[in-house]
Amino acid sequence: MPALATSDIIAVIGAGAMGAGIAQVAAQAGHPVRLYDNRDGAAQAGIDGVRRQLEKRVAKGKMAQADVDAIVSRMTPAATLAELADSRLVVEAIVENLEVKRSVFAELEAICGPDTLLTSNTSSLSITSIAAGLERPERVAGLHFFNPAPVMKLVEVISGLATDAEVAETLYATAAAWGKVPVHASSTPGFIVNRVARPFYAEGLRLMQEGAAAPATLDALLRQAGGFRMGPFELMDLIGHDVNYAVTRSVFDAYYGDTRFEPSLVQLALVEAGRLGRKSGQGFYDYREGATSVAPDFAPAAEAALPPLVAEGQLGAIAPLVTRAEAAGLEVVRRESISGEARLRLDGLTLALSDGRCAAERARDEGLEALVLFDLCLDYETASAIALAASPGVYAEARTLATAFFQRLGLDVAWLTDTPGLAVLRTVAMLANEAADAVLQGVCSARDGDLAMQAGVNYPRGPLAWADALGLAFVHRTLTHLQQSYGEERYRASFLLRRKALAEETFHV
């Protein structure tokens, strides 16, 4: 279906930051826009706010004043809902209250023509429920922008039970014409992003609660090793713990208490204490004036004479570690003909990529006296930090040897308690698992699931593409080990991921 013509009027209900931002996006795309808010003067204030934001770009030489004037001239405040009658598309961006939204949509249906597309920017409410009771629920859909709307590329096009396919396709094409990255999703709790992203926060919170490492260390690992823009704790502080906890609780309740979405008592305590993050001055970090920043707990420089590195098996993703060792001047012996999983050896010390077991269990299972597990990195060639965990047989001298080895490669070293899956691996495995279940349940395609996580929350790689690169059998094995370690349904592998792993398939061709 073609996008809406730029001559079509776009109406936005709600002149807060999100509503005004959506209005700006439509006006920038060339549409006449009508902005309505039931608070006196709010619509004009929203338009004035858009002008101020755009003029900041003019002051920086990033935009011409004439372009700002043209965009703002296309935005008109509406005094009543009746003034939206001739709109081709209405985007509702008001309070997240189902009954309030239903009331607004009932009024819109009575006011607007039969060809008007009615959409909600809701991030958590069911489009099916919003449209229920309308005479023409087929023209109702979700058009979920991310904040700030003019900056964030992703738009989730949400189809409710009754949404006409042509309506969804028109919205998809229109969002693309507006310079956005649209994805299709069905109306299920959390849609794509707010569902698939839950493990990013949940695994960090669990690791902290179990004493694996402090927030600053875990954040640094997810950034420096995992390639994420922000770690889970600093991101939760930015979002606001009241908001993040509420979304988690909403998804948890909507899925009838599925433990994969179980909220954290640690985060609840912050909400109860009023430590909501940046906006309150305190969260996991202290943002008050004069507060001392917290550094990650990386190991101090270690001194040790490094023996030759023996690299056994097909190295695959970890091959850059061996290349870095050679570049650092270490003697390397390659034994690629040895079967089994890749291992690195420094005399009697074995180094291996985690597979979801804790080091103590794996050392016992594989008959190893001294085993150090290292964490997943997005790219071992460019990573600047790595997490390690040791089996009980790794005494101080061997621990120093492992630290010195990775530091010689230019990596900051964080020693975690012996926890299954370490930090990055378990997070990525759980993200991929949730994305796989979303595909299995028809929420989205694999392509749209990955695209949503990259465009919506700036993930360095789509979770399913990442799983493909690691090998689905490896990701499935990691999840199985996590479930065995904890004995919880939370870590159960998605059937689709399991099926594809057994069939040696991938999510992306």
mmCIF file of all heavy atoms in Angstrom, residues 297-304 396 399-408 411-415:
data_model
loop_
_atom_site.group_PDB
_atom_site.id
_atom_site.type_symbol
_atom_site.label_atom_id
_atom_site.label_comp_id
_atom_site.label_asym_id
_atom_site.label_seq_id
_atom_site.Cartn_x
_atom_site.Cartn_y
_atom_site.Cartn_z
ATOM 1 N N ASP A 297 35.003 -2.211 38.860
ATOM 2 C CA ASP A 297 35.985 -2.938 39.664
ATOM 3 C C ASP A 297 36.821 -3.841 38.755
ATOM 4 O O ASP A 297 36.628 -5.060 38.710
ATOM 5 C CB ASP A 297 35.273 -3.768 40.742
ATOM 6 C CG ASP A 297 36.257 -4.444 41.681
ATOM 7 O OD1 ASP A 297 37.434 -4.033 41.715
ATOM 8 O OD2 ASP A 297 35.852 -5.415 42.366
ATOM 9 N N PHE A 298 37.745 -3.222 38.050
ATOM 10 C CA PHE A 298 38.649 -3.984 37.197
ATOM 11 C C PHE A 298 39.888 -4.376 37.989
ATOM 12 O O PHE A 298 40.308 -3.665 38.917
ATOM 13 C CB PHE A 298 39.057 -3.175 35.968
ATOM 14 C CG PHE A 298 37.950 -2.997 34.957
ATOM 15 C CD1 PHE A 298 37.722 -1.757 34.372
ATOM 16 C CD2 PHE A 298 37.152 -4.068 34.580
ATOM 17 C CE1 PHE A 298 36.720 -1.592 33.433
ATOM 18 C CE2 PHE A 298 36.138 -3.912 33.651
ATOM 19 C CZ PHE A 298 35.914 -2.670 33.070
ATOM 20 N N ALA A 299 40.466 -5.512 37.616
ATOM 21 C CA ALA A 299 41.656 -6.001 38.318
ATOM 22 C C ALA A 299 42.830 -5.052 38.106
ATOM 23 O O ALA A 299 43.010 -4.515 37.012
ATOM 24 C CB ALA A 299 42.019 -7.390 37.802
ATOM 25 N N PRO A 300 43.652 -4.834 39.152
ATOM 26 C CA PRO A 300 44.855 -4.014 38.984
ATOM 27 C C PRO A 300 45.841 -4.725 38.064
ATOM 28 O O PRO A 300 45.726 -5.932 37.803
ATOM 29 C CB PRO A 300 45.400 -3.894 40.410
ATOM 30 C CG PRO A 300 44.842 -5.074 41.137
ATOM 31 C CD PRO A 300 43.502 -5.348 40.531
ATOM 32 N N ALA A 301 46.794 -3.974 37.549
ATOM 33 C CA ALA A 301 47.791 -4.544 36.645
ATOM 34 C C ALA A 301 48.486 -5.732 37.296
ATOM 35 O O ALA A 301 48.921 -5.668 38.448
ATOM 36 C CB ALA A 301 48.807 -3.483 36.248
ATOM 37 N N ALA A 302 48.552 -6.846 36.564
ATOM 38 C CA ALA A 302 49.158 -8.067 37.093
ATOM 39 C C ALA A 302 50.485 -8.325 36.396
ATOM 40 O O ALA A 302 50.627 -8.130 35.185
ATOM 41 C CB ALA A 302 48.218 -9.250 36.881
ATOM 42 N N GLU A 303 51.446 -8.763 37.175
ATOM 43 C CA GLU A 303 52.760 -9.097 36.638
ATOM 44 C C GLU A 303 52.935 -10.608 36.681
ATOM 45 O O GLU A 303 52.798 -11.233 37.729
ATOM 46 C CB GLU A 303 53.863 -8.419 37.455
ATOM 47 C CG GLU A 303 53.844 -6.902 37.386
ATOM 48 C CD GLU A 303 54.194 -6.378 36.001
ATOM 49 O OE1 GLU A 303 54.883 -7.108 35.248
ATOM 50 O OE2 GLU A 303 53.770 -5.262 35.655
ATOM 51 N N ALA A 304 53.196 -11.216 35.526
ATOM 52 C CA ALA A 304 53.427 -12.653 35.473
ATOM 53 C C ALA A 304 54.157 -12.978 34.179
ATOM 54 O O ALA A 304 53.908 -12.367 33.135
ATOM 55 C CB ALA A 304 52.106 -13.417 35.542
ATOM 56 N N ALA A 396 45.731 -18.415 43.582
ATOM 57 C CA ALA A 396 46.153 -17.030 43.352
ATOM 58 C C ALA A 396 47.118 -16.892 42.187
ATOM 59 O O ALA A 396 47.001 -15.979 41.359
ATOM 60 C CB ALA A 396 46.771 -16.469 44.631
ATOM 61 N N ARG A 399 45.316 -17.356 38.920
ATOM 62 C CA ARG A 399 44.412 -16.211 38.733
ATOM 63 C C ARG A 399 45.195 -15.004 38.203
ATOM 64 O O ARG A 399 44.748 -14.305 37.291
ATOM 65 C CB ARG A 399 43.751 -15.886 40.071
ATOM 66 C CG ARG A 399 42.553 -14.940 39.989
ATOM 67 C CD ARG A 399 42.028 -14.718 41.398
ATOM 68 N NE ARG A 399 40.864 -13.867 41.407
ATOM 69 C CZ ARG A 399 39.610 -14.297 41.464
ATOM 70 N NH1 ARG A 399 39.365 -15.602 41.487
ATOM 71 N NH2 ARG A 399 38.606 -13.454 41.482
ATOM 72 N N THR A 400 46.364 -14.792 38.781
ATOM 73 C CA THR A 400 47.231 -13.706 38.323
ATOM 74 C C THR A 400 47.666 -13.936 36.886
ATOM 75 O O THR A 400 47.730 -13.003 36.075
ATOM 76 C CB THR A 400 48.461 -13.585 39.243
ATOM 77 O OG1 THR A 400 48.031 -13.292 40.574
ATOM 78 C CG2 THR A 400 49.398 -12.486 38.764
ATOM 79 N N LEU A 401 47.959 -15.197 36.544
ATOM 80 C CA LEU A 401 48.372 -15.536 35.192
ATOM 81 C C LEU A 401 47.265 -15.208 34.188
ATOM 82 O O LEU A 401 47.522 -14.616 33.133
ATOM 83 C CB LEU A 401 48.733 -17.024 35.119
ATOM 84 C CG LEU A 401 49.268 -17.533 33.777
ATOM 85 C CD1 LEU A 401 50.599 -16.866 33.441
ATOM 86 C CD2 LEU A 401 49.432 -19.056 33.827
ATOM 87 N N ALA A 402 46.019 -15.577 34.524
ATOM 88 C CA ALA A 402 44.890 -15.296 33.632
ATOM 89 C C ALA A 402 44.678 -13.790 33.484
ATOM 90 O O ALA A 402 44.442 -13.285 32.381
ATOM 91 C CB ALA A 402 43.627 -15.961 34.162
ATOM 92 N N THR A 403 44.782 -13.085 34.603
ATOM 93 C CA THR A 403 44.624 -11.627 34.558
ATOM 94 C C THR A 403 45.685 -10.998 33.670
ATOM 95 O O THR A 403 45.392 -10.163 32.801
ATOM 96 C CB THR A 403 44.712 -11.035 35.977
ATOM 97 O OG1 THR A 403 43.697 -11.604 36.801
ATOM 98 C CG2 THR A 403 44.542 -9.524 35.944
ATOM 99 N N ALA A 404 46.936 -11.413 33.874
ATOM 100 C CA ALA A 404 48.048 -10.853 33.104
ATOM 101 C C ALA A 404 47.889 -11.156 31.616
ATOM 102 O O ALA A 404 48.190 -10.305 30.761
ATOM 103 C CB ALA A 404 49.373 -11.406 33.618
ATOM 104 N N PHE A 405 47.396 -12.338 31.289
ATOM 105 C CA PHE A 405 47.217 -12.710 29.888
ATOM 106 C C PHE A 405 46.217 -11.787 29.194
ATOM 107 O O PHE A 405 46.518 -11.210 28.136
ATOM 108 C CB PHE A 405 46.759 -14.164 29.778
ATOM 109 C CG PHE A 405 46.296 -14.544 28.401
ATOM 110 C CD1 PHE A 405 47.194 -14.697 27.366
ATOM 111 C CD2 PHE A 405 44.941 -14.708 28.132
ATOM 112 C CE1 PHE A 405 46.767 -15.033 26.077
ATOM 113 C CE2 PHE A 405 44.496 -15.047 26.854
ATOM 114 C CZ PHE A 405 45.421 -15.212 25.820
ATOM 115 N N PHE A 406 45.056 -11.625 29.760
ATOM 116 C CA PHE A 406 44.038 -10.794 29.112
ATOM 117 C C PHE A 406 44.427 -9.316 29.123
ATOM 118 O O PHE A 406 44.119 -8.581 28.183
ATOM 119 C CB PHE A 406 42.672 -11.019 29.765
ATOM 120 C CG PHE A 406 42.026 -12.317 29.355
ATOM 121 C CD1 PHE A 406 42.002 -13.405 30.216
ATOM 122 C CD2 PHE A 406 41.454 -12.459 28.106
ATOM 123 C CE1 PHE A 406 41.427 -14.601 29.837
ATOM 124 C CE2 PHE A 406 40.868 -13.647 27.709
ATOM 125 C CZ PHE A 406 40.856 -14.737 28.577
ATOM 126 N N GLN A 407 45.106 -8.888 30.180
ATOM 127 C CA GLN A 407 45.582 -7.503 30.195
ATOM 128 C C GLN A 407 46.629 -7.289 29.112
ATOM 129 O O GLN A 407 46.668 -6.216 28.495
ATOM 130 C CB GLN A 407 46.155 -7.159 31.573
ATOM 131 C CG GLN A 407 45.086 -7.002 32.657
ATOM 132 C CD GLN A 407 45.674 -6.720 34.027
ATOM 133 O OE1 GLN A 407 46.865 -6.967 34.278
ATOM 134 N NE2 GLN A 407 44.842 -6.224 34.927
ATOM 135 N N ARG A 408 47.448 -8.286 28.856
ATOM 136 C CA ARG A 408 48.462 -8.176 27.802
ATOM 137 C C ARG A 408 47.789 -7.988 26.434
ATOM 138 O O ARG A 408 48.339 -7.349 25.542
ATOM 139 C CB ARG A 408 49.324 -9.444 27.799
ATOM 140 C CG ARG A 408 50.455 -9.437 26.785
ATOM 141 C CD ARG A 408 51.615 -8.545 27.219
ATOM 142 N NE ARG A 408 52.738 -8.718 26.309
ATOM 143 C CZ ARG A 408 53.716 -9.601 26.490
ATOM 144 N NH1 ARG A 408 53.734 -10.388 27.582
ATOM 145 N NH2 ARG A 408 54.702 -9.694 25.620
ATOM 146 N N LEU A 411 42.905 -5.806 27.399
ATOM 147 C CA LEU A 411 41.557 -5.899 27.949
ATOM 148 C C LEU A 411 41.539 -5.585 29.439
ATOM 149 O O LEU A 411 42.388 -6.079 30.197
ATOM 150 C CB LEU A 411 40.992 -7.309 27.736
ATOM 151 C CG LEU A 411 40.734 -7.715 26.286
ATOM 152 C CD1 LEU A 411 40.672 -9.231 26.159
ATOM 153 C CD2 LEU A 411 39.450 -7.097 25.789
ATOM 154 N N ASP A 412 40.572 -4.760 29.862
ATOM 155 C CA ASP A 412 40.303 -4.624 31.286
ATOM 156 C C ASP A 412 39.677 -5.929 31.768
ATOM 157 O O ASP A 412 38.823 -6.509 31.082
ATOM 158 C CB ASP A 412 39.334 -3.469 31.548
ATOM 159 C CG ASP A 412 39.954 -2.109 31.287
ATOM 160 O OD1 ASP A 412 41.155 -1.954 31.550
ATOM 161 O OD2 ASP A 412 39.226 -1.204 30.816
ATOM 162 N N VAL A 413 40.068 -6.378 32.941
ATOM 163 C CA VAL A 413 39.622 -7.677 33.447
ATOM 164 C C VAL A 413 38.742 -7.491 34.677
ATOM 165 O O VAL A 413 39.129 -6.825 35.638
ATOM 166 C CB VAL A 413 40.825 -8.573 33.807
ATOM 167 C CG1 VAL A 413 40.353 -9.858 34.491
ATOM 168 C CG2 VAL A 413 41.623 -8.900 32.552
ATOM 169 N N ALA A 414 37.549 -8.076 34.623
ATOM 170 C CA ALA A 414 36.645 -8.070 35.772
ATOM 171 C C ALA A 414 36.418 -9.509 36.210
ATOM 172 O O ALA A 414 35.934 -10.335 35.428
ATOM 173 C CB ALA A 414 35.310 -7.420 35.410
ATOM 174 N N TRP A 415 36.781 -9.801 37.444
ATOM 175 C CA TRP A 415 36.544 -11.140 37.994
ATOM 176 C C TRP A 415 35.155 -11.170 38.637
ATOM 177 O O TRP A 415 34.877 -10.418 39.566
ATOM 178 C CB TRP A 415 37.603 -11.498 39.024
ATOM 179 C CG TRP A 415 38.908 -11.884 38.407
ATOM 180 C CD1 TRP A 415 39.984 -11.080 38.196
ATOM 181 C CD2 TRP A 415 39.264 -13.178 37.907
ATOM 182 N NE1 TRP A 415 40.993 -11.786 37.597
ATOM 183 C CE2 TRP A 415 40.590 -13.076 37.408
ATOM 184 C CE3 TRP A 415 38.607 -14.408 37.837
ATOM 185 C CZ2 TRP A 415 41.253 -14.165 36.841
ATOM 186 C CZ3 TRP A 415 39.275 -15.493 37.267
ATOM 187 C CH2 TRP A 415 40.575 -15.371 36.787
#
